[in-house]
């Protein structure tokens, strides 16, 4: 027996409450960090949106509930995006989310209470689609890219984003009472999509948060060090800036330095095949290998899970490449502790101060861009970045 729209909205609201409260309570009594709080805001917004739209469906005279519901759902998707950015070590950009949510809610206000329940529907669908697609991209970048749960969340965000984008187009072309729109993008379909989103995200994000709480090697610091035993991203930046500054103004002339970026190849696939614990062991083993192999006075940092930065003295491209080759060979010659048959490869990129100046930001951009090109080409290679003037 087909269910009416009010029942479907009520079911969606109940699911939002159950999934959202589970995540929020676990955040409150577990690891209460910025990422968890931002994702909790997203689930709370989803609960608020579901309840508000159910109230409006029950009583169309409660126009304010429609405004809140339309604004809350984009806010929920946006908070998920902002939380993912925080997880990846970026700024949240939650102001952008607030602007989008305010625009969607404002579209309802501008049309007024006489416009009915479809007031601002196009803006609502576009806002949800845009923020869902932003979240999908962020879930497949940087630190999150290496995690299978983040990949699952990314796929769901892509599906939701594409669905709402198509729904906005169908709404413009066919109208909310058109046969095609009601059949393909009606309330029952939206309820299914929203349920898929909430259930999947509550599981995936809860697992991501639990892994952070467990102190995964690639994600946490112990004092000034990462859990892998080398300098954390912040500590490395401070030490590297000091080294670069002293090298630039050294008595007798600037001392040439090289920034080397190293990234373990196929780490996401390894995590999927053998589990995150095995991946963390690989990261820790790589860090240990770098500490033993890099020059004694070099600075070794750990900006992301399987990625490391080494700042060392190198007079020219040949010397810098030879250093990177030595690091690469050491990694290949060092199998995993519990399985001597598994040996990792890594991709390397190098940028010299003679080519790019003694500015850490400039050097980091150079090695990062070059390293991405190396990995795209298949990895397990060393490339020296060249500054084309």
């Amino acid at each position: 027996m087909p269910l009416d729209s009010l029942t479907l909205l009520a079911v969606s609201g109940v699911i939002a409450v159950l999934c959202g409260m589970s995540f929020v309570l676990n955040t409150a009594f577990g690891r209460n960090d910025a990422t968890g709080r931002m994702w909790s805001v997203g689930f709370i917004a989803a609960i608020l949106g579901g309840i508000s739209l159910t109230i409006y469906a029950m009583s169309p005279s409660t126009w304010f509930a429609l405004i809140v519901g339309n604004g809350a759902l984009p806010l929920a998707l946006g908070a998920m995006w902002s939380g993912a950015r925080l997880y990846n070590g970026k700024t949240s950009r939650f102001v952008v989310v607030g602007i989008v949510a305010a625009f969607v809610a404002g579209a309802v206000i501008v049309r007024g209470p006489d416009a009915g329940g479809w007031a601002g529907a196009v803006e609502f669908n576009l806002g949800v689609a845009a923020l869902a697609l932003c979240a999908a991209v962020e879930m497949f970048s940087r630190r999150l890219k290496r995690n299978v749960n983040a990949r699952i969340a990314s796929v769901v965000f892509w599906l939701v984003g594409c669905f709402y984008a198509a729904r906005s187009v169908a709404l413009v072309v066919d109208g909310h009472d058109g046969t095609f729109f009601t059949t393909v993008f009606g309330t029952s379909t939206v309820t299914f999509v929203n349920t898929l989103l909430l259930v999947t995200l509550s599981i995936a994000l809860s697992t991501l948060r639990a892994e952070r709480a467990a102190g995964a090697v690639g994600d946490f610091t112990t004092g000034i060090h990462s859990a892998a035993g080398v300098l954390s991203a912040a500590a490395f930046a401070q030490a590297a800036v000091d080294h670069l500054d002293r090298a630039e103004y050294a008595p007798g002339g600037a001392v040439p330095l090289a920034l080397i970026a190293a990234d373990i190849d196929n780490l996401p696939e390894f995590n999927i095949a053998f589990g995150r614990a095995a991946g963390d062991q690989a990261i820790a083993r790589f860090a240990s290998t770098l500490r033993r192999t890099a020059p004694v006075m070099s600075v070794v940092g750990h900006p992301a899970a399987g990625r490391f930065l080494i700042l060392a003295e190198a007079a020219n491209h040949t010397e810098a490449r030879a250093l990177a080759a030595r690091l690469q060979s050491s990694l290949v010659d060092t199998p995993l502790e519990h399985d001597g048959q598994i040996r990792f490869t890594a991709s390397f990129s190098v940028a010299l101060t003679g080519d790019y100046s003694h500015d850490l930001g400039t050097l980091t951009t150079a090695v990062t861009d070059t390293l991405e090109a190396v990995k795209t080409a298949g990895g397990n290679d060393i490339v020296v970045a060249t500054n084309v003037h």
Side-chain angles (χ1 to χ4, degrees), residues 195-375:
T195 300
L196 172 68
L197 173 69
L198 289 170
V199 173
T200 304
L201 289 185
S202 65
I203 297 172
L205 299 187
S206 293
T207 305
L208 285 170
R209 186 194 53 216
E211 288 177 348
R212 284 171 63 86
V217 168
D219 299 332
F220 281 93
T221 61
T222 304
I224 66 171
H225 293 98
S226 78
V230 297
L231 292 177
S232 66
F236 173 82
Q238 292 178 345
V241 167
D242 178 66
H243 275 62
L244 287 165
D245 184 63
R246 289 189 288 118
E248 184 176 10
Y249 298 103
V255 176
L257 299 177
L259 183 66
I260 302 173
D263 194 284
I264 300 175
D265 293 329
N266 303 316
L267 184 59
E269 290 75 13
F270 183 84
N271 283 336
I272 294 171
F274 299 99
R276 182 65 179 266
D280 284 347
Q281 182 196 137
I283 294 169
R285 177 52 60 94
F286 190 23
S288 177
T289 301
L290 291 177
R291 291 182 69 251
R292 293 195 309 267
T293 310
V296 175
M297 299 308 294
S298 62
V299 183
V300 183
H302 191 187
R307 182 162 298 185
F308 295 85
L309 293 174
I310 304 98
L311 182 66
E313 186 173 345
N316 50 51
H317 288 192
T318 302
E319 189 173 322
R321 186 181 180 87
L323 173 56
R326 188 164 69 248
L327 296 172
Q328 186 183 47
S329 297
S330 297
L331 173 65
V332 174
D333 294 338
T334 307
L336 284 185
E337 188 174 291
H338 299 303
D339 191 337
Q341 295 182 346
I342 299 179
R343 298 172 186 268
F344 279 92
T345 62
S347 300
F348 290 80
S349 63
V350 183
L352 280 75
T353 55
D355 295 331
Y356 289 92
S357 81
H358 285 70
D359 177 71
L360 179 61
T362 303
L363 291 169
T364 302
T365 299
V367 293
T368 300
D369 292 345
T370 304
L371 188 60
E372 292 302 326
V374 174
K375 294 185 74 66

Side-chain angles (χ1 to χ4, degrees), residues 41 64 97 107 117 121 151 184 189-190 204 216 245 254 257 278 297 308 355 382:
V41 169
F64 184 77
V97 177
R151 291 187 174 193
V184 179
T189 309
V190 172
D245 184 63
L257 299 177
M297 299 308 294
F308 295 85
D355 295 331
I382 302 170

